[in-house]
């Protein structure tokens, strides 16, 4: 009905190791409002009822006044059961929200709904004019579990403001969404087993991923076994661990014995995580300075855990050293929905006669490189000038589908083309008149042309007695007098499959003798 503790013993007392202990040592876990429980046994302790309950991932004694009893299995299922693709429910995606206050309906007034709470929506055609004495405008109208005086379950309507961070249906599993949900709890207090209406590290991780439709085991021995991509870290050196961690998508869950963190990203070779943490040491090698943090905090993996150092080495307390595995949870999304960026380097190359392919990099929106083990590259580049589709096939736990990018090989320039002729001196002038007696031909040449480009010749300027044919023949016409004459010739080199078009010019001096 409302958030309740699951304890090792049927008591509401706070039991700690000392008068200042912040943890209720007998509390095992906590159940959220509308979370299903299977009640196995009831006892009275000084007249107070307690039930031994099985939740989806833990068992323990719960306060009988915090639960409501369904009259049938079907009523029990209808209260909480939803489908992954359904949109007929909301899930709380921030640290905590409250239902709207009501002076006339205390059972639905200011009820705290913690991160991951799931409530069914009232169908539009069944929403009344007012709920709790007020109009339903600007609110989600939800079914809230409450109890009658005899402890029986009754479903009542309640209002949750639309400004609250709720999702209709489960959130799409993207790195951005995971980080938004995780960071919404920053600064919340730590509570072992969920005591003081708080969370410990595994309850925090479970609440985050509950927003995406996952139901994680209670502790750090069970959580890494959920479906997903499991990465073994035990036995690696710290530098090798950090290098591997930098390939993880944001939201990955790294584990060491007794603690789980949520990976955020790496900066300058240092990994950063967010977690609900109790005691820790600051970075460094000094045993002194352990702090009772009791906070959802962002920390580097250079932090050190509280407890006994291994083999007397203070550096062995480092979180990075103790990490033994990590899990990327498996609920693939299309890369167009996820915060992934595919880049080609370079995106454009120039034809050089050799096969060319771009370097493909895949990163998150935050700029973190993703592991190449999560995708395959196909049709990557070619030899001839043209446009090529580079396909990136994702097949990882967090991203699936295909992204296509264009790689272009541009045509090369005709850089080495030069013009020449078979000769520049023409003879055959009359000794009496000093004029050329017959038309003479000279052959023009274009050297260094790439790709066998066709060449078209043209006269740009010069003596009227000098002309050029399209195929490269230079004509010195009959009747020209002895002397030197200039002609400027252009050769147009046509574009080919791999080379650009180009125009080359040269001025020739023709001597007539």
């Amino acid at each position: 009905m409302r958030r309740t503790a699951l304890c090792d013993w049927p008591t509401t007392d706070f039991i700690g190791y000392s008068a200042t202990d912040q943890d209720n040592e007998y509390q095992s876990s906590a159940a959220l409002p509308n979370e299903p429980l299977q009640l196995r046994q009831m006892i009275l302790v000084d007249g107070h009822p307690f039930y031994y309950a099985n939740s989806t991932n833990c068992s323990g004694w719960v306060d009988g006044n915090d639960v409501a009893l369904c009259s049938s299995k079907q009523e029990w299922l209808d209260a909480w059961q939803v489908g992954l693709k359904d949109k007929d429910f909301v899930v709380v995606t921030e640290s905590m929200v409250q239902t709207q206050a009501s002076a006339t309906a205390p059972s639905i007034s200011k009820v705290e709904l913690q991160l991951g709470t799931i409530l069914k929506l009232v169908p539009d055609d069944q929403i009344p004019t007012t709920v709790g004495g007020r109009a339903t405008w600007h609110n989600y109208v939800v079914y809230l579990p409450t109890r009658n005086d005899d402890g029986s379950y009754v479903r009542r309507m309640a209002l949750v403001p639309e400004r609250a961070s709720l999702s209709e249906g489960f959130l799409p599993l993207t790195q951005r969404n995971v980080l938004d949900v995780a960071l919404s709890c920053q600064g919340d207090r730590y509570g072992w087993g969920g005591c003081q209406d708080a969370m410990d590290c595994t309850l925090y991780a479970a609440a985050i991923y509950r927003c995406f439709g996952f139901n994680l085991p209670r502790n750090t021995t069970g959580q890494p076994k959920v479906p997903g991509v499991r990465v073994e870290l035990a036995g690696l050196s710290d530098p090798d661990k950090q290098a591997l961690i930098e390939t993880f998508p944001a939201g990955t869950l790294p584990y060491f014995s007794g603690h789980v963190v949520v990976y955020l990203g790496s900066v300058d070779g240092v990994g950063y995580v967010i977690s609900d943490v109790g005691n820790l040491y600051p970075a460094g090698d000094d045993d002194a300075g352990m702090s009772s943090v009791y906070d959802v905090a962002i920390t580097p993996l250079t932090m050190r855990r509280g407890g006994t150092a291994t083999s007397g080495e203070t550096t062995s307390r480092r979180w990075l050293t103790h990490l033994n595995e990590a899990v990327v949870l498996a609920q693939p999304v299309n890369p167009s929905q996820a915060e992934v960026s595919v880049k080609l380097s370079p995106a454009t190359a120039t034809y050089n006669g050799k096969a060319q392919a771009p370097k493909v990099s895949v990163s998150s929106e935050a700029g973190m490189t993703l592991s190449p083990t999560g995708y395959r590259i196909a049709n990557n580049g070619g030899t001839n000038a043209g446009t090529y589709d580079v396909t990136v096939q994702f097949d990882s736990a967090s991203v699936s589908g295909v992204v296509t990018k264009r790689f272009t090989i541009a045509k090369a320039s005709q850089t080495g083309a030069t013009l020449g002729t078979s000769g520049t001196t023409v003879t055959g002038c009359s000794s009496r008149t000093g004029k050329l007696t017959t038309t003479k031909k000279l052959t023009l040449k274009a050297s260094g042309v790439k790709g066998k480009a066709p060449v078209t010749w043209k006269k740009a300027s010069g003596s009227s007695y000098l002309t050029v044919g399209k195929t490269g023949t230079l004509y010195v016409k009959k009747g020209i007098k002895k002397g030197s004459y200039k002609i400027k010739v252009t050769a147009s080199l046509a574009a080919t499959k791999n080379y650009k078009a180009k125009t080359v010019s040269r001025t020739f001096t023709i001597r007539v003798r």
Side-chain angles (χ1 to χ4, degrees):
M1 182 189 71
R2 61 190 179 193
R3 181 180 168 119
T4 189
L6 282 82
C7 296
D8 298 336
W9 294 94
T11 178
T12 57
D13 293 336
F14 192 99
I15 303 172
Y17 286 124
S18 68
T20 59
D21 191 352
Q22 295 292 309
D23 297 329
N24 185 350
E25 302 299 339
Y26 278 15
Q27 182 164 334
S28 297
S29 188
L32 297 174
N34 205 42
E35 186 171 341
L37 295 176
Q38 182 187 54
L39 306 182
R40 305 300 299 271
Q41 181 183 357
M42 192 274 282
I43 63 172
L44 294 173
V45 178
D46 295 332
H48 193 103
F50 290 90
Y51 291 96
Y52 191 79
N54 296 332
S55 72
T56 56
N57 60 14
C58 191
S59 298
W61 292 96
V62 298
D63 188 330
N65 293 330
D66 290 344
V67 298
L69 305 180
C70 293
S71 60
S72 66
K73 180 180 179 180
Q74 191 57 52
E75 184 179 49
W76 180 70
L77 291 173
D78 289 343
W80 59 270
Q81 198 171 51
V82 297
L84 282 174
K85 296 182 179 180
D86 296 339
K87 299 292 185 180
D88 60 350
F89 66 94
V90 291
V91 56
V92 177
T93 57
E94 64 175 304
S95 174
M96 191 273 289
V97 301
Q98 282 187 337
T99 61
Q100 296 280 23
S102 173
T104 59
S107 64
I108 64 169
S109 176
K110 294 186 177 180
V111 177
E112 292 187 350
L113 307 173
Q114 290 83 7
L115 176 67
T117 299
I118 298 171
L119 297 174
K120 286 193 171 181
L121 288 166
V122 177
D124 290 343
D125 59 358
Q126 298 179 30
I127 295 176
T129 304
T130 61
V131 171
R134 57 157 293 179
T136 60
W137 299 350
H138 312 301
N139 284 272
Y140 294 101
V141 184
V142 300
Y143 287 121
L144 189 70
T146 65
R147 71 196 303 263
N148 291 321
D149 292 340
D150 62 359
S152 61
Y153 164 80
V154 58
R155 186 171 71 174
R156 291 187 169 91
M157 296 183 192
L159 301 179
V160 183
E162 287 182 349
R163 58 176 168 73
S165 182
L166 275 70
S167 172
E168 294 187 35
F170 291 117
L171 282 170
L173 182 57
T174 67
Q175 296 177 72
R176 176 64 177 270
N177 284 344
V178 173
L179 295 186
D180 284 345
V181 172
L183 292 171
S184 76
C185 299
Q186 187 176 1
D188 286 358
R189 71 158 292 119
Y190 172 93
W192 167 259
C195 65
Q196 302 187 70
D197 287 336
M199 296 179 285
D200 58 22
C201 64
T202 47
L203 285 175
Y204 173 58
I208 293 170
Y209 277 96
R210 187 177 168 91
C211 299
F212 303 92
F214 291 89
N215 188 20
L216 299 187
R218 169 65 186 98
N219 53 43
T220 55
T221 57
Q223 283 191 2
K225 296 180 175 61
V226 299
V229 175
R230 182 177 179 274
V231 181
E232 183 68 38
L233 297 172
L236 298 179
S237 66
D238 283 4
D240 287 345
K241 283 184 182 180
Q242 177 59 37
L244 186 56
I245 286 169
E246 289 181 8
T247 69
F248 293 166
T252 296
L253 298 178
Y255 291 86
F256 54 74
S257 179
H259 195 58
V260 57
V261 296
V262 180
Y263 178 63
L264 301 177
S266 294
V267 178
D268 297 331
V270 177
Y272 286 83
V273 296
I274 186 169
S275 66
D276 210 337
V277 62
N279 298 321
L280 53 76
Y281 288 88
D285 296 336
D286 187 359
D287 279 340
M290 188 180 79
S291 300
S292 296
V293 179
Y294 284 86
D295 189 65
V296 176
I298 296 174
T299 53
L301 287 175
T302 53
M303 299 299 292
R304 295 178 295 135
R305 57 186 302 197
T308 304
T310 302
S311 302
E313 297 178 5
T314 57
T315 55
S316 67
R317 286 196 180 111
R318 295 179 68 211
W319 280 8
L320 183 62
T321 302
H322 275 269
L323 288 178
N324 50 43
E325 57 192 330
V327 175
V328 181
L329 294 184
Q331 182 183 309
V333 297
N334 189 286
S336 63
Q337 299 171 306
E339 281 72 24
V340 295
S341 173
V342 177
K343 293 184 179 180
L344 306 183
S345 180
T348 301
T350 301
Y351 173 78
N352 62 7
K354 301 177 182 179
Q356 298 186 81
K359 179 181 178 182
V360 180
S361 62
V362 182
S363 61
S364 69
E365 187 180 48
M368 292 173 286
T369 301
L370 303 186
S371 171
T373 59
Y375 55 87
R376 302 187 304 274
I377 302 172
N379 307 322
N380 192 11
T383 301
N384 292 319
T387 301
Y388 297 85
D389 286 339
V390 179
T391 58
V392 181
Q393 172 69 57
F394 290 88
D395 190 19
S396 71
S398 58
V399 185
S400 66
V402 176
V403 170
T404 301
K405 293 287 185 178
R406 292 291 178 88
F407 173 61
T408 300
I409 298 179
K411 292 183 178 182
S413 299
Q414 291 277 8
T415 57
T418 58
L419 304 185
T421 181
S422 57
T424 57
T425 301
V426 175
T427 59
C429 291
S430 166
S431 58
R432 183 176 59 85
T433 62
K435 297 179 179 180
L436 195 65
T437 56
T438 58
T439 297
K440 301 290 184 176
K441 297 179 182 180
L442 300 175
T443 302
L444 298 173
K445 298 180 294 183
S447 302
V449 178
K450 306 291 186 181
K452 298 181 180 179
V455 182
T456 301
W457 300 84
K458 185 178 180 181
K459 177 181 176 180
S461 60
S463 169
S464 60
Y465 281 94
L466 305 178
T467 60
V468 178
K470 291 183 178 181
T471 59
T473 302
L474 192 155
Y475 297 94
V476 182
K477 291 183 180 181
K478 176 182 176 181
I480 191 173
K481 293 182 178 179
K482 292 180 181 180
S484 294
Y485 300 87
K486 295 184 181 296
I487 181 171
K488 185 177 182 180
V489 176
T490 61
S492 297
L493 282 56
T496 66
K497 184 176 183 178
N498 293 312
Y499 289 92
K500 300 176 184 178
K502 185 174 183 179
T503 298
V504 183
S505 299
R506 181 180 173 183
T507 299
F508 294 95
T509 299
I510 306 300
R511 295 177 177 80
V512 181
R513 293 180 179 176

